[in-house]
Amino acid sequence: MKKTSTRLADGRELIYYDVRDDAVRAAPDRRPLDAVATTAEIRRDPLLGDSVAIASHRQGRTYHPPADQCPLCPSTAERPTEIPESAYDVVVFENRFPSLAGDAGRCEVVCFTSDHTVSFADLTEEQAGLVLDAWTDRTAELSHLPAVQQVFCFENRGAEIGVTLGHPHGQIYAYPFVTPRTALMLRSLAAHKKATGGRNLFDDVLADERAGERVVLDTAHWVAFVPHAAHWPYEVHLYPKRRVPDLLGLDEAARAEFPGVYLELLKRFDRIFDADGPPTPYIAAWHQAPFAALDAYDGVNRDDFALHLELFTIRRTSGKLKFLAGSESGMSVFINDVPPEAAAERLREVAS
């Protein structure tokens, strides 16, 4: 992998990740851009104890442009875009409309390929491996920023999810706090460790799931399963078999096997419903240990956390979505219409 860092016309960082070591990335950003101005701030909810990002400047972000106006495609002589080069492998750049900025964190866009017409599932294993390298590199780099306590790599796919740009891409959020979902995991981890005389909750969950009926894939270095208490109609958790706290901890064997495993899962998600229907909308979310001190979590350290990816769709059946209504949105109590065992069976049936 070759990494080339440069700057866009408004000062934002842009990084090329190339498969070939001889790739040259010297094209300048020719756009007359003003400096980015953000209003991002973090406000804490005193009742729930969580944090909310207030980012009113995002109201003006690019919204569903036609394919020939996509800002994530490579630049042409007639139309410069966010990526100055005429082609690229993988690109990461600072978001022009960030939810988090400055002391409130950082937001980055990850373009998986220069081809506007494909999805992540269409990438080759080499391309998917390069994306994994980019996620890992950005996790390492962002962890050194003074304000950053947690790094979150994710992909939203599909208009139903709320995606506003059709180009295959994901995002990375570097939070200045430990996110509420991770805090819940850490509290459960601490309680389990205390109650069992030091056992690791992630290890025990993984062992229980591998012994059950909800396993979707079980390979040399990874296991994917539908969790016992799945929140979403079709939800898969993907774990490396050797527990590591973050992407940096993966060994070469796990890194080499990941692209094939992940691409297979994404392809199965697209086969769950009508093969001739629209692509399955999904969210793919990497859960990594915070870089913050974990003193608040009674005896838990970073190495107790288990890196894993959660992949889920909001579609519950062909043509019908799972909406977060009163119980889910008002009380955070999910109601799942698809039994996890049935979801796992379906995901095994649609193997390629």
Side-chain angles (χ1 to χ4, degrees):
M1 178 192 77
K2 182 178 180 181
K3 175 183 174 183
T4 306
S5 179
T6 185
R7 292 282 171 178
L8 295 172
D10 55 11
R12 288 175 295 134
E13 185 178 18
L14 180 144
I15 307 156
Y16 295 97
Y17 294 90
D18 287 288
V19 172
R20 292 173 57 96
D21 289 336
D22 59 354
V24 176
R25 302 301 187 186
D29 184 2
R30 298 180 284 107
R31 299 171 297 171
L33 297 180
D34 295 329
V36 173
T38 68
T39 58
E41 63 171 305
I42 302 297
R43 297 185 182 179
R44 187 163 181 81
D45 185 322
L47 295 182
L48 298 181
D50 59 7
S51 299
V52 177
I54 309 297
S56 59
H57 63 278
R58 285 175 52 78
Q59 289 281 32
R61 67 187 185 274
T62 308
Y63 187 80
H64 292 299
D68 62 358
Q69 296 297 314
C70 175
L72 306 185
C73 287
S75 289
T76 65
E78 298 77 22
R79 192 177 72 86
T81 70
E82 289 282 69
I83 297 93
E85 293 286 346
S86 59
Y88 62 84
D89 291 344
V90 173
V91 165
V92 177
F93 62 88
E94 288 184 75
N95 198 322
R96 193 175 180 186
F97 303 97
S99 302
L100 310 167
D103 292 339
R106 175 156 157 157
C107 293
E108 299 182 340
V109 177
V110 184
C111 297
F112 303 139
T113 171
S114 60
D115 189 343
H116 183 89
T117 64
V118 303
S119 180
F120 199 120
D122 300 313
L123 301 182
T124 66
E125 290 193 18
E126 183 178 49
Q127 290 173 307
L130 186 60
V131 175
L132 176 62
D133 289 341
W135 284 331
T136 306
D137 181 72
R138 296 315 301 153
T139 296
E141 292 294 324
L142 292 170
S143 71
H144 296 307
L145 296 181
V148 172
Q149 295 192 31
Q150 186 172 356
V151 177
F152 176 46
C153 307
F154 64 101
E155 180 192 2
N156 299 326
R157 204 276 286 267
E160 301 96 325
I161 295 292
V163 174
T164 57
L165 297 175
H167 196 99
H169 73 288
Q171 298 180 67
I172 302 175
Y173 278 19
Y175 297 102
F177 50 80
V178 176
T179 62
R181 189 174 176 86
T182 301
L184 284 173
M185 292 184 193
L186 291 169
R187 286 197 287 271
S188 296
L189 188 60
H192 185 81
K193 190 173 186 177
K194 182 177 180 180
T196 61
R199 295 183 63 86
N200 184 277
L201 177 59
F202 288 108
D203 292 350
D204 287 352
V205 167
L206 191 56
D208 288 346
E209 291 291 0
R210 291 188 68 193
E213 58 181 314
R214 292 178 298 276
V215 172
V216 177
L217 283 172
D218 194 340
T219 67
H221 303 284
W222 295 86
V223 60
F225 58 88
V226 178
H228 169 72
H231 289 60
W232 300 95
Y234 290 89
E235 174 181 343
V236 172
H237 293 190
L238 176 64
Y239 279 73
K241 289 184 175 178
R242 183 178 70 87
R243 173 165 45 90
V244 295
D246 52 36
L247 290 165
L248 284 74
L250 292 174
D251 60 26
E252 288 304 314
R255 296 181 71 83
E257 192 180 59
F258 170 78
V261 172
Y262 187 48
L263 291 172
E264 173 63 19
L265 284 177
L266 294 181
K267 290 171 183 175
R268 292 192 191 191
F269 259 59
D270 273 341
R271 298 191 194 104
I272 297 173
F273 307 106
D274 184 0
D276 298 323
T280 301
Y282 65 74
I283 292 175
W286 280 109
H287 291 263
Q288 305 192 80
F291 292 97
L294 302 182
D295 299 341
Y297 302 100
D298 195 17
V300 169
N301 57 56
R302 288 193 83 247
D303 290 336
D304 291 324
F305 196 88
L307 167 76
H308 62 285
L309 182 140
E310 297 185 7
L311 173 68
F312 60 90
T313 179
I314 61 171
R315 188 176 291 166
R316 55 188 175 87
T317 189
S318 296
K320 297 179 181 178
L321 300 180
K322 165 65 178 177
F323 291 102
L324 299 189
S327 185
E328 292 89 353
S329 294
M331 283 290 136
S332 294
V333 178
F334 276 69
I335 300 169
N336 191 350
D337 304 304
V338 180
E341 294 73 23
E345 182 177 5
R346 178 60 180 158
L347 285 162
R348 290 191 296 266
E349 289 175 350
V350 295
S352 58

